[in-house]
């Protein structure tokens, strides 16, 4: 879902061939000046804030088949904390795309913009998915989004149920910065490689690796494997589609245990390559390690598959509960339990939690949160807590007293407000056409 913190870009055409980018926080993010030709050059080895602007620009123009656009001036401001797990980079790239298309007279659909943004961060060496970008662009007021990427991008609004007291969400930032660009080889990109190699091995285990849908796609994902495995089975449109998801994901969890269960402590590169009848070098090329290098002695394919399928199952069940319309449902307990299970899986199976995340979740639950989990990529960043509206103040106070006051005693009131706040599902990105 889209939340209250945002990224804003003011833009105006300047009638030249220069793109000038500035930030309200100029001391931390100095202004940059590019030509409309050299803005396409992105050095992924350099951690530079303007690279994310260039990602949005380049992604949009490459999609359009163009190599140059109009010159313009841009000024950036925002309240999404960098490295906080709230998709600051996605918000930046998405806002850039809106600004660039505005000044260049381009008018793409939300689906097109989300698809372009999903791939744009790869220019800086981050093997990004597309969930954050889709939520940033396609979020709807009062709803979560059920997002599917295969066979095509589709975002289905899921209206959160009404209850008394109302459902509320609290965001709390660990203030442990998780920078995907810096830690990618041992964290973010490593998980992507593990799941993609897992998908290759699972497809072979299920006997579908040579089907065109699996053989000719890059990258192969667990979702594609599941869809292809059930191709030709009962038409989901004739039954409860949510129940179809549940049945298929449950079957894939069993298949994953069978495919990877012989390696509970992980695979070496040689073992993964042997399972796919290829050399380690060919396997590295297959998952594009030249672009997204990783470092690991053992690859935990069983645990990553268990998390991926069980997490998808929790998402589907969350949707099922929200859409049930059953007044007898205790929404706080039902939805909160799924969020708690998700955090357990992130910590134990995907191994993307950290001590600070675990501590914030424990404090919040003890103070009245029904469900607490990390949000974003993990390894730091933010947590999200499902709380009754009448307990928001109580839970925030507990987090302020037991986490922030202890770990960050010098935090100002303004800094605390940025780190700890209540929010609700909001609208995604949109242009404001006012001019001065």
């Amino acid at each position: 879902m889209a939340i209250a913190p945002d990224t804003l870009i003011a833009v105006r055409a300047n009638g030249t061939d220069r793109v000038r980018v500035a930030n309200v926080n100029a001391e931390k993010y100095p202004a940059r000046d590019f030509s409309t030709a050299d803005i396409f050059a992105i050095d992924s080895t350099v951690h530079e804030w303007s690279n994310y602007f260039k990602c949005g620009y380049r992604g949009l123009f490459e999609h359009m088949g163009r190599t140059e656009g109009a010159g313009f001036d841009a000024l950036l401001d925002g309240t999404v904390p960098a490295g906080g797990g709230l998709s600051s980079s996605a918000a930046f790239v998405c806002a850039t795309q809106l600004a660039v298309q505005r000044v260049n007279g381009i008018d793409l659909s939300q689906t097109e913009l989300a698809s372009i943004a999903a791939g744009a961060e790869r220019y800086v060496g981050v093997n990004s998915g597309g969930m954050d970008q889709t939520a940033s662009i396609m979020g709807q007021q009062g709803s979560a989004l059920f997002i599917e990427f295969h066979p095509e991008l589709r975002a289905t609004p899921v209206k959160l149920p009404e209850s008394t007291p109302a459902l509320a969400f609290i965001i709390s930032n660990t203030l442990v910065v998780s920078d995907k660009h810096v830690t990618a080889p041992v964290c973010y990109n490593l998980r992507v490689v593990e799941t993609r190699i897992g998908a290759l091995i699972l497809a072979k285990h299920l006997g579908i690796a040579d089907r065109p849908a699996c053989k000719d796609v890059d990258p192969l994902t667990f979702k594609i494997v599941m869809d292809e495995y059930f191709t030709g089975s009962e038409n989901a449109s004739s039954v409860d589609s949510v129940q179809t998801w549940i049945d298929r994901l449950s079957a894939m969890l069993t298949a994953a245990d069978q495919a990877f269960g012989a390696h509970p402590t992980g695979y070496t590169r040689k073992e993964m390559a042997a399972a796919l009848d290829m050399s380690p070098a060919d396997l590295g090329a297959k998952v594009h390690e030249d672009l997204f290098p990783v470092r690991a002695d053992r690859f935990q394919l069983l645990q990553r598959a268990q998390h991926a399928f069980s997490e998808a199952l929790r998402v589907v069940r969350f949707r099922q509960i929200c859409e049930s319309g059953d007044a007898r449902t205790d929404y706080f307990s039902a939805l909160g339990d799924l969020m708690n299970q998700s955090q357990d899986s992130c910590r134990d199976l995907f191994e993307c939690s950290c001590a600070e995340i675990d501590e914030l979740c424990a404090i919040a639950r003890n103070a009245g949160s029904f469900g607490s989990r990390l949000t974003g990529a993990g390894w730091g960043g933010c947590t999200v807590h499902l709380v009754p509206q009448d307990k928001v103040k109580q839970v925030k106070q507990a987090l302020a007293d037991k986490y922030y006051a202890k770990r960050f005693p010098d935090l100002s009131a303004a800094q605390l407000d940025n780190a700890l706040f209540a929010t609700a599902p909001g609208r995604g990105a949109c242009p404001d056409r006012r001019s001065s």
Side-chain angles (χ1 to χ4, degrees):
M1 67 182 191
I3 59 174
D6 57 16
T7 297
L8 305 175
I9 298 181
V11 61
R12 67 182 178 191
N14 60 27
T16 74
D17 67 346
R18 309 299 298 181
V19 175
R20 295 187 282 262
V21 186
N23 195 299
V24 169
N25 187 353
E27 183 176 349
K28 185 175 182 180
Y29 305 110
R32 302 300 186 206
D33 188 326
F34 311 101
S35 76
T36 53
D38 64 27
I39 194 172
F40 279 80
I42 302 173
D43 185 352
S44 63
T45 65
V46 177
H47 189 45
E48 159 62 33
W49 79 275
S50 62
N51 276 351
Y52 289 93
F53 186 92
K54 295 165 89 172
C55 282
Y57 187 103
R58 177 174 166 179
L60 189 69
F61 275 90
E62 287 191 348
H63 174 80
M64 299 294 296
R66 292 169 55 178
T67 56
E68 265 190 78
F72 59 91
D73 302 325
L75 178 64
L76 173 76
D77 194 11
T79 55
V80 186
L86 295 179
S87 309
S88 59
S89 59
F92 190 179
V93 171
C94 292
T96 298
Q97 287 187 172
L98 284 174
V100 173
Q101 80 159 3
R102 166 66 171 157
V103 81
N104 282 278
I106 300 168
D107 188 16
L108 299 179
S109 68
Q110 285 187 324
T111 302
E112 287 177 296
L113 287 170
S115 296
I116 297 166
E121 281 190 62
R122 293 166 194 166
Y123 299 131
V124 292
V126 175
N127 207 345
S128 177
M131 183 178 65
D132 297 344
Q133 294 83 357
T134 304
S136 290
I137 289 175
M138 304 178 74
Q140 293 193 17
Q141 192 83 26
S143 295
L145 288 182
F146 184 83
I147 302 170
E148 302 169 72
F149 295 101
H150 183 265
E152 60 186 10
L153 175 60
R154 181 170 63 174
T156 304
V158 178
K159 188 171 177 58
L160 295 180
E162 296 180 0
S163 66
T164 305
L167 276 67
F169 294 93
I170 294 174
I171 303 295
S172 55
N173 192 336
T174 62
L175 299 179
V176 174
V177 175
S178 175
D179 194 317
K180 287 187 290 187
H181 177 88
V182 175
T183 64
V186 294
C187 294
Y188 191 90
N189 284 357
L190 178 58
R191 294 298 178 273
V192 174
V193 166
E194 286 174 318
T195 56
R196 290 184 178 172
I197 294 176
L200 292 168
I201 294 176
L202 183 59
K204 185 177 180 183
H205 169 79
L206 294 172
I208 61 174
D210 290 330
R211 294 185 187 178
C214 293
K215 185 179 180 181
D216 300 335
V217 68
D218 184 18
L220 183 64
T221 66
F222 283 133
K223 173 62 164 54
I224 296 174
V225 171
M226 182 180 76
D227 287 350
E228 182 59 25
Y229 182 68
F230 286 104
T231 294
S233 62
E234 185 176 14
N235 189 346
S237 64
S238 64
V239 296
D240 182 348
S241 62
V242 173
Q243 188 58 49
T244 298
W245 271 95
I246 292 173
D247 294 342
R248 292 181 177 184
L249 287 165
S250 299
M252 296 311 290
L253 274 168
T254 299
D257 288 343
Q258 295 168 346
F260 309 117
H263 295 265
T265 60
Y267 289 71
T268 64
R269 286 181 180 272
K270 287 185 178 180
E271 288 170 337
M272 293 188 301
L276 292 166
D277 299 320
M278 61 176 64
S279 69
D282 287 343
L283 178 58
K286 178 73 174 175
V287 294
H288 304 293
E289 281 195 63
D290 56 328
L291 299 176
F292 311 108
V294 299
R295 297 193 303 271
D297 294 324
R298 303 192 73 83
F299 297 74
Q300 306 299 328
L301 306 190
L302 172 63
Q303 293 84 348
R304 309 315 181 222
Q306 288 174 329
H307 172 76
F309 288 121
S310 66
E311 186 76 342
L313 191 53
R314 283 184 287 273
V315 170
V316 173
R317 285 178 170 151
F318 195 103
R319 174 182 175 178
Q320 185 181 48
I321 292 167
C322 289
E323 295 178 341
S324 68
D326 188 345
R328 298 168 298 176
T329 302
D330 180 348
Y331 290 114
F332 287 103
S333 294
L335 300 177
D337 286 348
L338 291 173
M339 291 177 65
N340 290 332
Q341 292 167 23
S342 175
Q343 173 58 24
D344 291 345
S345 184
C346 287
R347 182 190 64 226
D348 300 332
L349 296 177
F350 215 60
E351 297 181 278
C352 61
S353 189
C354 66
E356 293 83 357
I357 288 174
D358 297 338
E359 183 179 352
L360 279 173
C361 289
I363 293 170
R365 289 170 188 160
N366 288 335
S369 168
F370 280 82
S372 297
R373 56 151 292 166
L374 64 83
T375 183
W379 297 288
C382 287
T383 56
V384 58
H385 313 276
L386 176 62
V387 178
Q389 185 64 55
D390 60 357
K391 295 290 179 62
V392 167
K393 184 176 180 180
Q394 172 181 309
V395 175
K396 285 180 62 180
Q397 192 62 53
L399 291 167
D401 293 342
K402 298 180 180 181
Y403 182 83
Y404 295 102
K406 181 180 71 173
R407 288 181 175 267
F408 304 97
D410 297 327
L411 215 60
S412 69
Q415 289 171 324
L416 180 60
D417 286 343
N418 286 333
L420 177 64
F421 57 90
T423 191
R427 181 183 175 184
C430 61
D432 184 337
R433 300 184 184 277
R434 290 176 293 183
S435 60
S436 58

